[in-house]
Amino acid sequence: DVVLTQSPATLSVTPGERISLSCRASESVDTYLHWYQQKPNESPRLLIKYASQSISGIPSRFSGSGSGTDFTLSINGVELEDLSIYYCQQGNSLPTFGSGTKLEIK
Amino acid sequence: QVTLKESGPGILQPSHTLSLTCSFSGFSLSTYGMGVSWIRQPSGKGLEWLASIWWNGNTYNNPSLKSRLTVSKDTSNNQAFLKVTSVDTADTATYYCAHTRYRYNYFDYWGQGVMVTVSS
C-alpha cells in the first residue's frame, strides 16, 4: 500500500493568512494525488485533482502543487468557512488516504 | 447532475453480514470509464477506501479486509451494492459511496453517507 503522511495534524490559522498543507507519499504516485475538504457532519468534497488541477465551483484561493512523493495544498487567504479537515488521496494504485490535517482558528 | 445515496440497516449484530445499497443518478454504470467506490469513516477518524466496481464489471477490494468484501451492481436500476461479511465493532462507521472515473481514481461526487453500528 502507498502510505500518505499529512502534516501538520492540526494547523491553527488566522483569517486572511496564506497557508500550506503537506502530503508525502511512501513511493511515487506521479500526479495521481487528490485533495478533499470535509466539514463537520458533511461528506468529503473534491478540492483539487491531479495534484494541481482545479475543480469547478471550488474557490480560486485553493491551489495544489507537487509530483512524485511531495505535494502541497495551499489556501491563499484563509476564510472562516475553510475550517475543516483536509485529506489527500492517491489514485496511482489501489486508493489510499492520508490521515488528514485539521484547520482551526488561532 | 450526479447524485448518490446510500441505504443500509443502521444497526446489526456482530458476525452478521452488512448489506449496503448505493442508488445513483446522472451517470450509467454501463458507460465506459464509470465506477462506484465505497469508502468508510469511523466516527472522529479518517477515510478508508473499501472497494470499487467499474462499468465493465471489474472490481477491486482493499486487501486489508481480505475476502470479507463483495461489490456488485444493477446497471438497469442504477444501483451498486456492498456486502461485508463477519462484521464486528471495528466495522462501525459511516459508509459512503462515490462516483469514480477509471484510471484517475478520484472521487468527484459523494453520497451523504449512512451510519452503520455493529452492536450486540
Side-chain angles (χ1 to χ4, degrees):
Chain A
D1 287 8
V2 176
V3 176
L4 299 178
T5 302
Q6 290 189 244
S7 61
T10 304
L11 185 60
S12 298
V13 302
T14 301
E17 266 189 273
R18 176 181 171 84
I19 64 166
S20 294
L21 311 182
S22 173
C23 178
R24 179 162 292 176
S26 60
E27 61 187 75
S28 175
V29 297
D30 194 354
T31 56
Y32 289 90
L33 192 287
H34 319 299
W35 291 94
Y36 301 84
Q37 176 192 57
Q38 187 176 31
K39 296 183 178 181
N41 300 313
E42 293 187 9
S43 304
R45 176 174 71 153
L46 180 65
L47 280 183
I48 298 287
K49 63 183 181 181
Y50 297 119
S52 61
Q53 292 187 14
S54 59
I55 301 295
S56 175
I58 300 299
S60 59
R61 61 180 180 275
F62 292 94
S63 63
S65 63
S67 66
T69 61
D70 289 315
F71 301 87
T72 300
L73 174 70
S74 298
I75 308 177
N76 189 11
V78 172
E79 299 189 6
L80 283 177
E81 66 179 23
D82 300 336
L83 300 181
S84 307
I85 300 176
Y86 293 86
Y87 294 97
C88 57
Q89 174 250 322
Q90 66 80 21
N92 189 53
S93 57
L94 292 181
T96 52
F97 290 89
S99 56
T101 291
K102 182 178 181 180
L103 232 54
E104 60 180 29
I105 283 289
K106 188 178 291 184
Chain B
Q1 179 188 3
V2 173
T3 65
L4 306 99
K5 185 174 183 179
E6 308 85 352
S7 58
I11 186 167
L12 73 163
Q13 294 183 340
S15 79
H16 287 205
T17 295
L18 170 62
S19 295
L20 298 172
T21 298
C22 176
S23 302
F24 56 85
S25 63
F27 69 98
S28 172
L29 256 183
S30 62
T31 300
Y32 177 87
M34 296 296 107
V36 169
S37 297
W38 290 91
I39 298 128
R40 71 180 179 183
Q41 184 174 38
S43 180
K45 297 190 177 180
L47 300 164
E48 179 182 33
W49 171 78
L50 298 177
S52 299
I53 186 164
W54 300 102
W55 81 101
N56 58 6
N58 286 351
T59 62
Y60 296 91
N61 293 355
N62 188 324
S64 70
L65 278 85
K66 297 183 181 179
S67 58
R68 296 176 56 215
L69 301 177
T70 302
V71 287
S72 58
K73 63 184 173 89
D74 178 349
T75 302
S76 300
N77 289 306
N78 286 342
Q79 292 182 317
F81 310 98
L82 175 71
K83 289 189 188 298
V84 185
T85 60
S86 304
V87 297
D88 66 14
T89 55
D91 296 306
T92 294
T94 295
Y95 287 74
Y96 298 99
C97 62
H99 176 262
T100 316
R101 296 182 189 270
Y102 178 65
R103 186 61 187 109
Y104 305 141
N105 271 342
Y106 57 78
F107 312 113
D108 49 359
Y109 299 94
W110 295 63
Q112 63 189 27
V114 61
M115 178 68 192
V116 174
T117 301
V118 179
S119 174
S120 55

